[in-house]
Amino acid sequence: MHGSASSLSASVSSWLLVLLCAVSGAYCLRQVRGAGGAAAGEAVMGFGMALMAVPLGDGDGWRPPLLGAVFCAAAGHALWLLRGGAHHAHHLVGSLTMVYMAAAAGAGGGHGHGEGAGPPLLTGALLLYYAGYVVLGGARLITAGSPLPAPASPSSPAPEPPSASPSPLHVTSTELVRACRLAMGMGMLAMLLSM
């Protein structure tokens, strides 16, 4: 995803990944007022992933060191957020993964492909982590809708019908946050696969 736009399919998939990550980052940035530090970290991650996925060609030697510095700072922020609980550990893993990919891109001739792609064991472990994250996030998103009523037992009263059922197009902010996280997880998985 970080390479030159030599083929149309590589270029289109790179720009689609840029769009997906930028939209996720913009949505997270919009949520910063209400959610605070976690949303800010996700916005930085989304915009950084978008920047990393832009197919600029060979003249982008500035990108790996800049992204490495930004994501080192994001990793520090994620460490700070860990004071509030272990549920922020994913932010730390994501930031360190971006540092790793930026370092691999800088060492591998600018894009992270081929010889400088990093240790295969670490790349494989990150691929497993993000594949699991995407599968779990997708399952959570699918089940995020309103729960189905439990079947009535003969001794329990029949459940009352809901007073106002949400429309099929109604989406809560929780579902959007989960969708953004899932999109960024898929983007991270795609970038790791391209190493």
Side-chain angles (χ1 to χ4, degrees):
M1 294 297 160
H2 320 302
S4 66
S6 59
S7 72
L8 181 61
S9 64
S11 178
V12 169
S13 63
S14 292
W15 284 110
L16 286 174
L17 183 59
V18 169
L19 180 66
L20 178 72
C21 294
V23 167
S24 294
Y27 178 76
C28 292
L29 187 61
R30 185 173 167 236
Q31 298 299 316
V32 168
R33 283 191 182 160
E42 289 176 2
V44 167
M45 184 67 68
F47 289 129
M49 288 172 61
L51 181 61
M52 188 175 267
V54 171
L56 292 178
D58 294 332
D60 64 346
W62 57 270
R63 200 164 37 169
L66 176 68
L67 288 173
V70 167
F71 285 107
C72 280
H77 181 255
L79 275 172
W80 181 258
L81 288 177
L82 277 175
R83 295 176 307 119
H87 59 280
H88 293 290
H90 175 71
H91 294 254
L92 180 61
V93 171
S95 297
L96 292 175
T97 301
M98 291 297 286
V99 170
Y100 167 68
M101 286 193 292
H111 301 296
H113 297 275
E115 304 88 41
L121 185 61
L122 179 56
T123 303
L126 290 170
L127 281 168
L128 285 175
Y129 173 81
Y130 281 102
Y133 181 81
V134 166
V135 169
L136 183 62
R140 285 182 179 162
L141 188 60
I142 288 171
T143 60
S146 60
L148 296 174
S153 66
S155 63
S156 67
E160 295 182 24
S163 58
S165 62
S167 70
L169 298 177
H170 176 73
V171 178
T172 66
S173 65
T174 303
E175 291 167 334
L176 284 173
V177 168
R178 287 180 178 171
C180 285
R181 288 178 182 161
L182 180 63
M184 287 192 286
M186 289 188 300
M188 193 75 80
L189 187 60
M191 286 192 278
L192 282 165
L193 283 171
S194 72
M195 288 184 68

